[in-house]
């Protein structure tokens, strides 16, 4: 299971960050924030190379000793980040992809809500 | 063992061979040869470099399926026998023996070389019978079915065209045949290896044995220069082992795994220098190896191949996952290791990899290369930090005797396999030095940090750099170098604030507050405290703590500190409570809705500065924009601007919650309303749609400008003293008594708490008008009146802004010929003469009016223009009304004559 899920706005401020309740939230804020460096690198390197439809899933952004950070960027540059514990060897790449797809769908549903203003902090119930 | 070469044996005429061998060994690898491989793998071109050994029965492979290295792959018999008789007598037997031995061993890769020298040629010439030369004999005796197994080499010691040709053909044939032999051996070997791998679930199977097999395959590929293929073998082994570890952690432990899981006593880092690797191989073969040793060895092999492929950056790239994986595996398998030993291993390994990479790197690939090395530097830095904390080497701690013991123990676990340093201090020396004293620990830690941070910055990974900066700041705080710490914190803070990461920014503010407190800089400390205490992303205890700190620190301030208030106090609403305009002399009350983000009640004085503008074209006759409600152009009136403000407020509400302190200055709406009465339609047009609907970026940093708090002129201001602001929303009435009429715009709010002033610009236009109208008098109608009869006119007195007090007396004087009479009970007549009246007026409320009906009669014969003068107490000059009265009839006389008649 993921230990942290984050949705980051186009301008790189957090729209939503949720960590497991018993985890150190601050640590994940740092992790997610620094992973934006890698995401930006990936986005730029891709946009330089091709004008084709971009693969939204960015894959493993960078591993740390304890965690693996995965990234996903929508076409409107909303970033999704999922952090998994390194010791969790059971989660395969495909499962991560499907997690991102679900997250993307959930986000799309939320944006479709007419009472949501684009760019507002997301509150989950 | 990278010096492996395929082995080829020689037999027969040794003198002949030794004369040829030097040239042969040199010439063989000079040309490439195509290596066709089994299982439809892509053919490769290889350069074949072989060594020759003398043939003996002992050197023949005993278990051809178990090994392929160190075993001859090809066998050559050399002879230069030219005499058929000698051949029959000795050479044939020799060849026959050799051939039988080979055949008995199942070897079919051999070649008989018959060297023809010039004298033998001559002999050949004399012999005209076919099939009688030695060559023919050899072919007939041994190679009846395989013609290519016998080669005739023409005069290799001469240098004419023919012998050179013969030599080249020989080389080509030889290369081809050797490869064929090698391939045959390899196929057997691979088959065996595969079947071994299939047995991996059977009990008694040992990974170590299998490892040796597949590694040998890798070595063969390496020997053939196929580094890519060799690397694949190692990667497969790596994956296989990893899978076993995962299974093991899931409870499915293989028997052979036990040896890998013994408690670890040695945590030497990686050794990448090739000459030291092979001692470890022995250990693995004997299942004496520890998990860490094994991993070290495997990775070293992979690195050696990658370096041969000229991809030093890949070494750096693979290193980090490798180390993470190892640390994880140690964890998964619950291998007992002393505290800190893993950190030592990681640190040593990082430095070893970096040292190695440095030797290979070039500037072209520097970017890709440093992308990976920087994580290694960072990883080493983190581990050194861990060690420092563990061993009490941090600047603010004293190491205990336990910690000193720990250092000794850690050092004892290193250096058992000596790293081959060549004068340059190796990773081990660095770690020893770093752990030796606080001072040298500091030196090494700072060096690593600077390096990692600098590289991150160079790569444009600023967020990573800032994170290191924050950790460095903590280190400098412990060192007492507060100035350095402050700088790093401010840099990070700027980034977090710009990008809108509240929790990170607040955390940085907490560190900054501690830093300022240590610096005894109350001024800055207060500022930092306000940010922490007003943050909504941290827990209440911390906020309360910093609130108390804030209040107590504020007492110590020797001068006023001005702080921008957006993050602490938000203005949600300002209402001017006067519907009909404010009259000069009245007290104006503006209700402020202030949202306090402080965690507790606070006593403060609140003021709001006002910008006063006199009305345009203002004069005493009171031509105020009183007709504003009828004005169609909304923007022209202050009422209209308030209307548009409401729009912009509701628009910006949701946003301002998110971005405290933004400065949204919306332009006024310019709306034109047009009513077309002919068709009965109306429509509105926004004249400045492009300005009002300007794209608003949701990026906070674009809007929020972190300017300093400057205080406005508070000479004319709304005020409220000793107000208690509760956390959350507060309604505070602010009052002012304007001293001049005109338009007052709210500019800046100042909330004063002891000697702190929280300043905030009023970002949405808000203003009120102060008016002061004099009473006015009018007389209607003033035209169309008739002289000679009684006419009704009305004198109307508008009371103006202040109203009329009771008992005011007005005096009316009329010109001669005009008489006036008042017929009302509304006012009290004081004196009445023919041409003047004195009337006492009742009280009239502000904005009200009184109408006095008058009867006037003008003499018929008097002049048509009359004047009424009105003297009022509120006006120094009299009001004058001119009346023109027409006569009701005219008389004319006319005499008509007809001349002389």
């Amino acid at each position: 299971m993921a230990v942290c899920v984050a949705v980051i706005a186009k301008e790189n401020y957090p729209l939503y960050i949720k960590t497991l309740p018993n985890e150190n939230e601050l640590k994940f804020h740092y992790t997610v924030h620094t992973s934006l460096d890698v995401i930006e690198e990936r986005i730029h390197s891709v946009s330089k190379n091709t004008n084709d439809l971009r693969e939204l899933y960015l894959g493993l952004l960078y591993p740390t000793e304890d965690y693996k950070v995965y990234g996903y960027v929508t076409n409107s540059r909303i970033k999704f980040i999922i952090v998994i514990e390194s010791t969790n060897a059971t989660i395969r790449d495909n499962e991560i992809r499907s997690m991102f797809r679900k997250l993307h769908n959930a986000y799309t549903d939320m944006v479709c809500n007419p009472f949501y203003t684009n760019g507002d902090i997301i509150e989950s119930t | 063992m990278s010096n492996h070469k395929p082995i080829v044996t020689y037999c027969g005429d040794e003198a002949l061979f030794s004369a040829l061998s030097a040239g042969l060994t040199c010439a063989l690898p000079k040309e490439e040869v195509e290596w066709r491989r089994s299982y439809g793998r892509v053919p490769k071109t290889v350069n074949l470099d072989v060594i020759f050994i003398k043939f003996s029965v002992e050197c023949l492979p005993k278990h051809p399926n178990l090994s392929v290295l160190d075993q001859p792959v090809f066998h050559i018999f050399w002879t230069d026998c030219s005499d058929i008789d000698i051949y029959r007598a000795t050479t044939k037997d020799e060849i026959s023996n050799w051939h039988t031995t080979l055949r008995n061993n199942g070897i079919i890769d051999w070649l008989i070389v018959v060297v023809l020298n010039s004298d033998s040629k001559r002999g050949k010439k004399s012999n005209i019978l076919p099939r009688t030369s030695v060559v023919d004999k050899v072919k007939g005796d041994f190679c009846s079915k395989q013609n290519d197994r016998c080669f005739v080499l023409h005069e290799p010691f001469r240098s004419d065209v023919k012998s050179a040709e013969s030599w080249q053909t020989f080389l080509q044939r030889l290369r081809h045949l050797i490869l064929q032999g090698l391939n045959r051996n390899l196929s057997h070997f691979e088959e065996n290896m595969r079947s071994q791998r299939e047995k991996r679930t059977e009990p008694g199977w040992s990974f170590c044995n299998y490892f040796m097999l597949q590694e040998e395959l890798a070595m063969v590929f390496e020997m053939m220069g196929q580094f890519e293929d060799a690397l694949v073998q190692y990667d497969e082994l790596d994956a296989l082992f990893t899978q076993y570890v995962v299974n093991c952690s899931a409870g499915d432990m293989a028997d052979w795994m036990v040896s890998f899981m013994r408690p670890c006593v040695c945590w030497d880092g990686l050794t990448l220098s090739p000459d030291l690797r092979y001692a470890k191989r022995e250990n693995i073969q004997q299942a004496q190896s520890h998990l860490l040793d094994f991993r070290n060895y495997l990775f070293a092999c992979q690195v050696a191949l990658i370096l041969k492929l000229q991809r030093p950056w890949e070494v750096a790239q693979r290193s980090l996952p490798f180390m993470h994986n190892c640390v994880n595996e140690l964890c998964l398998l619950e291998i007992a290791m002393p505290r800190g030993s893993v950190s030592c291993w990681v640190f040593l390994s990082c430095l070893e990899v970096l040292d190695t990479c440095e030797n290979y790197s070039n500037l072209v690939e520097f970017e890709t290369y440093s992308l990976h090395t920087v994580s290694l530097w960072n990883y080493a830095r983190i581990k050194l930090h861990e060690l420092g904390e563990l061993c009490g080497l941090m600047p603010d701690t004293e190491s205990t005797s336990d910690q000193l013991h720990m250092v000794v123990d850690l050092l004892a676990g290193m250096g058992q396999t000596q790293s081959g340093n060549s004068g340059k201090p190796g990773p081990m020396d660095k770690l020893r030095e770093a752990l030796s004293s606080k001072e040298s620990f500091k030196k090494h830690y700072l060096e690593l940090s600077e390096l990692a941070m600098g590289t991150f910055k160079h790569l444009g990974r600023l967020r990573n750099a800032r994170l290191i900066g924050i950790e460095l700041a903590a280190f400098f705080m412990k060192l007492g170098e507060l100035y350095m710490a402050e700088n790093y914190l401010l840099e990070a803070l700027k980034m977090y604030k710009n990008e809108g990461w509240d929790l990170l920014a607040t955390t940085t503010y907490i560190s900054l507050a501690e830093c300022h407190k240590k610096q005894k800089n109350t001024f800055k400390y207060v500022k930092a405290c306000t940010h922490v205490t007003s943050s909504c992303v941290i827990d209440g205890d911390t906020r309360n703590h910093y609130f108390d700190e804030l209040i107590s620190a504020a007492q110590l301030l020797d001068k006023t500190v001005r702080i921008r208030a957006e993050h602490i106090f938000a203005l949600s609403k300002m209402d001017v409570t006067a519907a009909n305009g404010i009259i000069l002399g009245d007290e104006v009350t503006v209700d402020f809705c202030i949202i306090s983000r402080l965690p507790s009640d606070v006593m403060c004085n609140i003021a709001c500065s006002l910008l006063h503008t006199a009305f345009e074209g203002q004069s005493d006759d009171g031509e105020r924009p009183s007709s504003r409600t009828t004005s169609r152009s909304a923007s022209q009136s202050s009422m209209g601007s308030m209307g548009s403000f409401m729009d912009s407020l509701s628009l910006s509400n949701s946003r301002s919650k998110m971005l405290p302190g933004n400065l949204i200055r919306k332009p006024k709406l310019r709306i034109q309303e047009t009513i077309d009465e002919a068709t009965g339609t109306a429509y509105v047009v926004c004249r400045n749609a492009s300005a009002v609907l300007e794209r608003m970026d949701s990026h906070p940093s674009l809007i929020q400008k972190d300017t300093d708090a400057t205080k406005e002129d508070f000479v004319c201001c709304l005020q409220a003293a000793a107000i208690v602001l509760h956390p959350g929303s507060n309604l505070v009435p602010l009052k002012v008594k304007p001293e001049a009429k005109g338009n007052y715009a709210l500019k800046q709010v100042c909330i004063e708490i002891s000697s702190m002033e929280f300043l905030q610009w009023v970002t949405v236009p808000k203003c009120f008008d102060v008016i002061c109208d004099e009473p006015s008098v009018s007389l209607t109608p003033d035209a169309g009146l008739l002289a000679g009869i009684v006419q009704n006119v009305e004198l109307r007195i508008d009371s103006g802004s202040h109203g009329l007090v009771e008992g005011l007396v007005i005096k009316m004087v009329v010109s001669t010929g005009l008489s006036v009479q008042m017929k009302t009970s509304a006012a009290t007549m004081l004196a009445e003469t023919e041409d003047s009246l004195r009337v006492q007026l009742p009280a009239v409320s502000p904005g009200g009016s009184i109408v006095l009906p008058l009867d006037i009669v003008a003499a018929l014969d008097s002049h048509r223009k009359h004047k009424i003068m009105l003297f009022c107490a509120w006006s120094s000059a009299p009001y004058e009304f001119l009346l023109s009265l027409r006569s009701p009839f005219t008389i004319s006389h006319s005499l008509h004559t007809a001349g002389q008649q």
Side-chain angles (χ1 to χ4, degrees):
Chain A
M1 199 175 115
V3 284
C4 172
V5 172
V7 180
I8 309 294
K10 175 167 155 270
E11 297 83 6
N12 288 339
Y13 63 88
L15 291 172
Y16 179 77
I17 293 191
K18 191 82 183 168
T19 53
L20 286 189
N22 52 351
E23 296 279 351
N24 178 359
E25 195 186 345
L26 180 64
K27 184 174 70 184
F28 288 110
H29 275 254
Y30 280 122
T31 310
V32 171
H33 185 250
T34 45
S35 67
L36 290 176
D37 274 341
V38 189
I39 291 187
E40 285 193 340
E41 252 166 40
R42 299 260 171 103
I43 293 175
H44 288 309
S45 68
V46 167
S47 57
K48 254 185 249 164
N49 294 339
T50 51
N51 293 324
D52 301 341
L53 269 180
R54 207 157 39 85
E55 162 74 289
L56 304 178
Y57 177 57
L58 297 178
L60 183 63
L61 297 179
Y62 73 95
T64 65
E65 199 174 294
D66 308 316
Y67 303 103
K68 286 178 184 154
V69 186
Y70 293 88
Y72 184 97
V73 179
T74 70
N75 286 319
S76 52
R77 297 279 154 103
I78 303 289
K79 293 126 191 152
F80 301 133
I81 291 168
I82 290 181
V83 185
I84 309 273
E85 276 179 324
S86 294
T87 45
N88 193 340
T90 52
I91 296 186
R92 308 261 166 228
D93 202 52
N94 259 343
E95 286 163 291
I96 306 270
R97 276 175 193 267
S98 79
M99 278 161 85
F100 274 124
R101 258 194 301 275
K102 280 181 195 163
L103 193 59
H104 195 169
N105 287 342
Y107 178 78
T108 316
D109 287 350
M110 188 210 58
V111 172
C112 291
N113 179 353
F115 297 104
Y116 174 76
T117 315
N118 219 354
D120 278 4
I121 307 289
I122 301 169
E123 278 165 28
S124 143
T125 48
Chain B
M1 267 184 236
S2 52
N3 49 6
H4 281 301
K5 289 175 183 176
I7 296 167
V8 178
T9 67
Y10 60 90
C11 193
D13 194 335
E14 277 183 47
L16 172 71
F17 172 73
S18 50
L20 285 169
S21 70
L24 200 58
T25 325
C26 280
L28 266 181
K30 275 196 181 140
E31 270 182 48
E32 288 180 338
V33 59
E34 193 181 41
W35 181 23
R36 293 208 184 86
R37 294 185 297 164
S38 48
Y39 300 111
R41 281 174 287 191
V42 193
K44 295 270 166 104
T45 47
V46 293
N47 290 31
L48 205 56
D49 193 4
V50 301
I51 49 171
F52 290 97
I53 60 166
K54 187 170 162 37
F55 177 80
S56 65
V57 181
E58 289 76 41
C59 77
L60 290 178
K62 312 229 164 17
H63 311 286
N65 290 346
L66 294 183
S67 177
V68 64
L69 287 170
D70 303 321
Q71 294 191 1
V73 293
F74 197 68
H75 311 271
I76 308 177
F77 193 94
W78 301 82
T79 178
D80 60 351
C81 173
S82 54
D83 189 329
I84 198 83
D85 298 327
I86 300 174
Y87 171 75
R88 279 194 185 126
T90 58
T91 317
K92 185 180 175 184
D93 290 342
E94 277 176 40
I95 298 179
S96 179
N97 278 341
W98 173 78
H99 190 237
T100 318
T101 318
L102 288 179
R103 203 171 47 208
N104 290 344
N105 279 286
I107 293 167
I108 49 172
D109 297 295
W110 47 266
L111 178 70
I112 302 167
V113 183
V114 183
V115 179
L116 290 184
N117 287 321
S118 37
D119 49 334
S120 62
K121 246 181 191 172
R122 248 175 273 131
K124 197 184 171 187
K125 271 177 192 164
S126 61
N127 194 344
I128 50 161
L129 284 173
R131 298 215 169 266
T132 49
S133 69
V134 173
V135 177
D136 297 327
K137 270 291 174 196
V138 169
K139 281 185 178 167
D141 288 343
F142 303 102
C143 321
S144 52
K145 287 173 191 157
Q146 302 159 289
N147 252 336
D148 58 343
R149 293 291 170 185
C150 176
F151 193 86
V152 185
L153 194 58
H154 288 281
E155 297 179 64
F157 304 108
R158 282 180 56 172
S159 54
D160 57 17
V161 179
K162 194 180 176 194
S163 60
E165 250 174 39
S166 164
W167 179 246
Q168 286 307 324
T169 321
F170 171 64
L171 284 178
Q172 270 175 18
R173 171 85 61 87
L174 192 58
R175 283 187 198 118
H176 180 69
L177 288 174
I178 291 176
L179 262 186
Q180 219 172 38
L182 185 75
N183 220 12
R184 210 186 309 278
N185 282 10
L186 203 55
S187 304
H188 291 308
F189 178 79
E190 279 185 87
E191 248 161 54
N192 173 50
M193 189 189 88
R194 255 178 227 111
S195 67
Q196 285 294 315
R197 187 161 57 195
E198 293 313 311
K199 288 179 192 155
R200 66 183 180 276
T201 46
E202 290 175 12
W205 186 84
S206 162
F207 178 80
C208 296
N209 293 344
Y210 178 72
F211 179 82
M212 290 297 139
L213 276 180
Q214 190 159 3
E215 193 189 20
E216 191 160 333
L217 182 63
M219 286 173 173
V220 173
F221 284 129
E222 191 181 345
M223 170 179 89
M224 304 297 288
Q226 303 305 309
F227 303 123
E228 205 69 72
D229 289 309
L231 189 57
V232 169
Q233 305 309 317
Y234 279 115
D235 289 348
E236 278 181 20
L237 282 169
D238 190 347
L240 186 63
F241 189 77
T242 308
Q243 191 55 49
Y244 270 110
V245 173
V246 171
N247 291 350
C248 191
S249 72
D252 175 22
M253 191 167 79
D255 302 334
W256 51 266
M257 201 65 156
V258 182
S259 75
F260 285 103
M261 289 168 58
R262 281 165 302 158
C264 185
V265 288
C266 166
W267 38 91
D268 281 336
L270 278 172
T271 31
L272 297 180
S273 60
D275 40 326
L276 286 163
R277 282 197 346 235
Y278 299 102
K280 290 189 178 171
R281 190 163 191 254
E282 301 275 301
N283 284 341
I284 296 170
Q285 196 156 20
Q286 293 155 16
Q288 293 290 310
S289 196
H290 186 261
L291 177 87
L292 218 46
D293 297 335
F294 173 71
R295 279 293 182 189
N296 279 348
Y297 173 73
L298 185 55
F299 191 68
C301 293
Q302 288 169 320
V303 166
L305 288 169
I306 295 166
L307 289 180
K308 281 186 178 162
L309 288 165
Q310 302 292 322
R311 297 196 295 233
W313 51 269
E314 196 181 330
V315 174
Q317 184 191 23
R318 279 176 173 235
S319 298
L320 202 63
F322 157 72
M323 282 178 234
H324 288 151
N325 182 41
C326 278
V327 173
N328 258 326
E329 286 185 348
L330 288 173
C331 216
L332 279 177
L333 298 178
E334 292 165 5
I335 292 174
M337 290 192 76
R339 281 179 77 196
S341 54
V342 179
S343 303
C344 284
W345 177 78
V346 171
F347 181 84
L348 293 173
S349 304
C350 281
L351 290 199
E352 173 79 14
V353 170
L354 289 168
D355 275 357
T356 313
C357 287
E358 227 158 65
N359 297 335
Y360 284 89
S361 68
N362 54 28
L363 283 174
V364 184
E365 288 165 337
F366 188 76
E367 287 280 318
T368 14
Y369 166 75
S370 42
L371 210 54
H372 302 297
T373 51
V374 69
S375 339
L376 287 175
W377 286 117
N378 197 27
Y379 198 27
R381 179 191 68 85
I382 292 167
K383 288 298 165 185
L384 189 61
H385 190 266
E386 274 177 21
L387 282 172
E389 281 190 331
L390 206 59
C391 303
L393 293 167
M394 283 300 177
D396 61 336
T397 51
E398 284 298 325
S399 40
T400 61
S401 64
D402 280 352
Q403 285 169 326
L404 289 175
H405 277 300
M406 186 181 285
V407 173
V408 173
D409 289 344
L410 285 178
L411 292 180
M414 309 186 303
Q416 292 167 4
T417 54
Q418 190 58 47
S419 65
N421 58 46
S422 48
K424 208 176 111 189
M428 199 100 65
D429 307 299
K430 275 193 188 164
L431 186 55
R432 275 177 198 284
E433 199 190 317
L435 294 183
S436 64
S437 74
K438 276 185 168 184
E439 199 51 40
S440 60
F441 172 78
K442 178 186 129 190
K443 179 177 148 262
H444 279 96
Y445 180 67
L446 290 182
E447 198 180 293
L448 272 178
S449 301
E450 294 288 343
L451 225 154
M453 193 158 68
T455 321
F456 271 134
K457 277 185 188 163
H458 175 78
L459 290 170
R461 290 192 171 181
L462 286 182
R463 297 180 185 88
N464 280 285
R466 298 283 178 260
L467 183 59
I468 296 181
I470 282 192
E471 285 174 31
L472 262 184
F475 190 77
F476 277 120
M477 291 261 277
K478 289 176 183 169
L479 267 179
E481 292 183 29
L482 301 171
Y483 176 70
M484 295 292 284
E486 189 189 351
N487 275 349
Y488 283 122
L489 288 173
L490 285 175
E491 267 184 5
L493 183 65
K494 202 169 137 197
M495 163 165 271
Y496 295 144
K497 278 176 84 176
N498 278 348
E499 296 203 331
W501 287 71
D502 293 339
L503 183 64
L504 300 185
T506 308
T507 315
T508 314
Y509 266 123
I510 292 178
S511 310
L512 206 55
E514 293 314 305
C515 183
H516 291 320
K517 193 178 187 184
K518 282 190 181 172
Q519 281 175 328
K520 298 199 169 50
N521 189 335
T522 322
F523 199 73
K524 288 181 177 171
Y525 182 56
V526 164
K527 282 191 179 182
C529 282
T530 62
H531 282 97
V532 178
T533 192
S534 62
S535 168
C536 54
V537 290
I538 53 166
D539 61 291
D541 290 348
T542 319
R543 289 179 62 184
N544 286 327
H545 169 72
Y546 280 97
F547 181 73
D548 297 342
E549 288 284 301
L550 174 70
I551 297 302
S552 54
Q555 312 295 330
L556 305 173
L557 287 168
D558 46 3
K559 62 172 181 164
T560 310
V561 54
R562 288 180 181 150
I563 302 165
R564 289 173 65 92
E566 282 88 351
H567 57 283
I568 308 170
F569 301 109
L571 298 176
S572 67
K573 199 162 69 169
M574 291 155 284
D575 286 336
V576 183
T577 50
N580 302 328
I582 297 139
I583 296 136
L584 188 66
D586 283 359
E587 193 173 54
V588 182
T589 307
V590 181
D591 288 328
F592 278 71
C593 186
I594 299 174
I595 297 169
S596 165
R597 298 203 178 95
L598 293 175
S600 302
D601 290 355
V602 66
M603 170 83 88
C604 58
N605 299 327
I606 305 175
C608 176
S609 71
L610 295 168
L611 179 72
H612 174 237
T613 3
F615 292 122
E616 258 176 63
Q618 190 180 16
S619 60
D620 279 343
D621 63 3
E623 191 40 57
R624 275 187 342 98
S626 55
S627 60
R628 59 190 175 183
T629 44
T630 55
S631 164
R632 282 298 171 209
S633 180
S635 67
Q636 300 306 319
S637 70
S638 51
M639 203 66 167
S641 72
M642 281 189 200
S644 70
F645 154 65
M646 286 309 171
D647 290 346
S648 65
L649 187 70
S650 59
L651 262 178
S652 62
N653 244 353
S654 59
R655 195 165 296 282
S656 55
K657 255 190 292 174
M658 183 184 69
L659 315 166
N662 57 356
L663 289 170
I664 303 170
R665 290 198 184 279
K666 293 268 295 184
K668 288 180 181 177
L669 282 172
R670 299 176 68 88
I671 290 177
Q672 176 127 32
E673 180 186 326
T674 313
I675 300 173
D676 187 344
E677 284 175 354
T679 55
T681 53
Y683 60 92
V684 290
V685 176
C686 182
R687 291 286 183 176
N688 56 345
S690 59
V692 180
L693 300 177
E694 194 181 25
R695 178 175 174 272
M696 282 226 298
D697 208 308
S698 45
H699 196 309
S701 68
L702 296 181
I703 304 158
Q704 185 178 355
K705 292 194 185 74
D706 204 12
T707 47
D708 274 341
T710 46
K711 197 178 176 183
E712 274 290 296
D713 182 11
F714 271 73
V715 173
C716 173
C717 63
L718 291 155
Q719 276 179 325
I723 300 289
V724 176
L725 287 181
H726 308 291
S729 182
N730 297 275
L731 196 68
V732 183
L734 263 64
K735 293 189 166 80
V736 69
K737 205 164 190 174
E739 286 169 356
K741 56 183 181 176
N743 179 272
Y744 289 85
L746 275 59
K747 281 199 80 181
Q748 193 184 36
V749 177
C750 171
I751 298 171
E752 189 186 8
I753 304 170
S754 60
S755 47
M756 296 176 290
E757 286 179 352
F758 296 93
L759 299 170
Q760 181 172 11
W761 294 98
V762 178
T763 52
V764 280
K766 188 82 183 178
C767 54
F768 58 85
D769 292 336
V770 175
I771 52 172
C772 179
D773 288 346
E774 294 294 317
S776 62
V777 183
S778 61
L779 190 70
T780 49
D782 56 355
L785 297 170
L786 297 176
I789 48 174
V790 175
Q791 297 285 306
N792 298 324
V793 293
E794 283 183 347
L795 181 70
R796 180 191 176 90
I797 302 171
D798 287 316
S799 68
S801 303
H802 295 286
L804 300 177
V805 290
E806 192 170 352
L808 272 179
V809 175
I810 56 169
K811 184 183 175 193
M812 193 184 290
V813 178
V814 298
S815 50
T816 10
L818 186 73
S819 62
V820 64
Q821 207 174 14
M822 195 171 68
K823 313 183 294 181
T824 181
S825 52
T828 321
M829 185 66 66
L830 295 177
E832 191 170 16
T833 59
E834 191 69 354
D835 57 353
S836 74
L837 286 174
R838 280 184 69 220
V839 180
Q840 191 177 32
L841 296 175
V844 182
S845 61
S849 60
I850 182 168
V851 178
L852 305 174
L854 298 173
D855 288 352
I856 53 168
V857 184
L860 269 177
D861 58 339
S862 64
H863 32 271
R864 308 263 169 85
K865 299 261 180 202
H866 290 280
K867 190 154 89 176
I868 300 179
M869 308 261 280
L870 194 66
F871 297 88
C872 304
W874 58 81
S875 169
S876 52
Y879 293 93
E880 282 187 8
F881 302 102
L882 285 175
L883 298 176
S884 59
L885 294 108
R886 280 191 290 135
S887 297
F889 52 86
T890 51
I891 303 166
S892 64
H893 302 276
S894 56
L895 179 64
H896 306 279
T897 63
Q900 296 293 320
Q901 285 177 350

